[in-house]
Amino acid sequence: MRHRHMFVLLLAASGTCLAQDGNEIYGIADLGVRYVDNLGANNAPTSGGALPTVSSGVNKTSRWGLRGQESLGGGWQALYRLEGGLNLDTGSSAKSDKLFDRQAWVGLKTPLGSIYLGRQANLISDALSTVDPLGIRYASFNPNVNITGMSNTAFGRHSFGQQYGTSGYADNFYRLDNTVKVTTNLGPVVARAAYSFGETPGATSPMSTWGGGLTYQQADVAVSGAVMRLRNRDNLALDAASLGAAYKLGDWHFKANGGYNRADTGAGQTVHQRVLSAGVSRQLRPDLLLTTAYFKVRRTTTGRVDDGFQRAFAYLEKSLSPRTTVYLESDYTLWQGDAAGVTGNRPNDRRGLGMTLGLMEKF
């Protein structure tokens, strides 16, 4: 642990030198004062009561990283990126077992496309970045990130409860280890394909992942989607898909997306999850942006009553400079079925409310 901290300090101290060599240290520091009602500090439903908190990453996830590139001639470039999440409210890493939990890869960019090797976001995440109505804001509470992108598939009284693919975690498959990802630009279309090696002794299929995606973007129109198949240690499959569109009209930006996944969790046992989302943002002034989004999540599980929730967000962001933004966020959740769960023997409240006043600094 001491060597890890020394490594980080040396890299931070050498930032100026790195930048001169085509490398840089970068990141986002996002922290806010948050008030919640019928939600806990981690936004899980509770049995009632208001709670003030200090929360990290309510707009964009707090993070730090190292990235760089080197020209190899002939249109070729060598690339790398190392990126880790941060909890600014406590000063801790987002994942205690991974220094660079968000990204850790090397790559080559060529005139025909690019190839990346290492820990990377999955293809659903790549597809969502263009069409998520919330613009991937509040990743820990955004249903498209959690359910469609599979960063946190556990809510209510049941979940997948096991690891699919090489994420390293149960119920979180948003980023995968041992991944080879290829992208190709075909005019306005970006095509992506990825394969993650399961690295299971004696078999190639268990824990492996494969998939493909397409994004069309030209002028003010974008359409983006992806499909994936992930497997667990017993070679059971988790199939996931996402498809969305975005349209910009003057100062207005409209986005909508549909997400779906289905997991075989055991003999004759399945979990289906569906997410429908839509949102509108408007540039009120050059330095003032309003974003609204609505999500409807539905889950069907063998042997359980259907459940889900509806969630709405509103963000008002004021740019103080190119790197500094102050924002006001509000969210409302209505849990359905038994998704709210229980605390002890007492059912949790079906309605949750949150409001945040925050500051985001990019560096």
Side-chain angles (χ1 to χ4, degrees):
M1 183 64 70
R2 181 179 300 172
H3 295 300
R4 172 188 286 186
H5 291 164
M6 183 62 71
F7 171 68
V8 173
L9 289 172
L10 287 173
L11 286 172
S14 63
T16 301
C17 178
L18 286 172
Q20 293 174 350
D21 291 335
N23 305 274
E24 66 174 333
I25 296 176
Y26 70 96
I28 295 175
D30 183 321
L31 203 61
V33 176
R34 181 164 168 81
Y35 170 90
V36 294
D37 191 23
N38 298 323
L39 295 173
N42 62 351
N43 290 320
T46 68
S47 56
L51 179 69
T53 67
V54 174
S55 298
S56 178
V58 174
N59 195 310
K60 297 293 185 181
T61 303
S62 297
R63 70 196 75 170
W64 78 282
L66 306 166
R67 60 189 173 196
Q69 61 186 40
E70 181 182 15
S71 177
L72 304 176
W76 288 63
Q77 286 181 317
L79 314 166
Y80 78 90
R81 182 169 293 194
L82 308 171
E83 184 176 291
L86 299 171
N87 298 315
L88 289 194
D89 51 331
T90 62
S92 61
S93 296
K95 302 291 185 183
S96 60
D97 60 331
K98 295 181 186 288
L99 177 60
F100 298 114
D101 64 294
R102 293 177 59 85
Q103 299 187 67
W105 52 259
V106 297
L108 283 174
K109 184 177 182 180
T110 79
L112 299 178
S114 302
I115 182 170
Y116 310 92
L117 294 85
R119 180 173 175 81
Q120 304 170 62
N122 67 40
L123 292 174
I124 301 290
S125 166
D126 293 337
L128 281 172
S129 64
T130 305
V131 295
D132 174 44
L134 206 55
I136 313 296
R137 290 173 177 82
Y138 211 166
S140 64
F141 205 42
N142 181 332
N144 267 340
V145 177
N146 290 177
I147 309 300
T148 304
M150 300 174 290
S151 79
N152 183 7
T153 59
F155 67 89
R157 299 181 181 180
H158 50 155
S159 62
F160 293 167
Q162 54 193 295
Q163 180 180 336
Y164 292 80
T166 52
S167 67
Y169 309 103
D171 291 301
N172 181 344
F173 327 119
Y174 194 75
R175 296 178 177 88
L176 301 171
D177 299 341
N178 315 324
T179 298
V180 178
K181 184 183 294 184
V182 178
T183 66
T184 302
N185 293 329
L186 306 170
V189 176
V190 177
R192 304 180 183 92
Y195 182 83
S196 297
F197 294 86
E199 298 189 356
T200 302
T204 58
S205 185
M207 304 301 291
S208 66
T209 303
W210 62 267
L214 292 173
T215 297
Y216 169 88
Q217 192 163 10
Q218 190 169 33
D220 298 324
V221 177
V223 180
S224 187
V227 295
M228 294 179 60
R229 166 164 283 192
L230 305 86
R231 292 192 178 275
N232 67 5
R233 292 194 178 278
D234 298 321
N235 212 29
L236 296 177
L238 163 59
D239 294 315
S242 177
L243 180 62
Y247 178 66
K248 191 172 184 180
L249 180 64
D251 292 330
W252 296 85
H253 206 171
F254 305 89
K255 295 182 179 180
N257 195 80
Y260 169 86
N261 55 60
R262 176 190 183 279
D264 294 321
T265 56
Q269 301 289 314
T270 62
V271 177
H272 296 75
Q273 298 186 117
R274 299 170 295 278
V275 182
L276 296 176
S277 58
V280 180
S281 63
R282 175 172 167 79
Q283 198 73 48
L284 302 177
R285 295 197 319 236
D287 61 346
L288 194 62
L289 177 66
L290 175 64
T291 301
T292 61
Y294 167 80
F295 300 82
K296 184 175 183 179
V297 177
R298 204 70 186 150
R299 180 172 57 184
T300 304
T301 304
T302 303
R304 290 191 178 273
V305 176
D306 292 0
D307 67 4
F309 59 88
Q310 299 178 65
R311 183 170 294 153
F313 292 89
Y315 274 82
L316 184 63
E317 298 168 273
K318 165 73 172 177
S319 297
L320 303 180
S321 75
R323 297 191 309 174
T324 303
T325 300
V326 63
Y327 61 88
L328 179 64
E329 176 271 349
S330 64
D331 55 80
Y332 177 80
T333 302
L334 177 62
W335 304 94
Q336 298 169 324
D338 64 358
V342 297
T343 299
N345 295 321
R346 181 180 176 182
N348 292 325
D349 200 289
R350 291 183 176 274
R351 290 174 167 80
L353 173 67
M355 298 186 67
T356 312
L357 178 62
L359 180 68
M360 179 174 62
E361 175 76 17
K362 298 179 180 179
F363 59 91

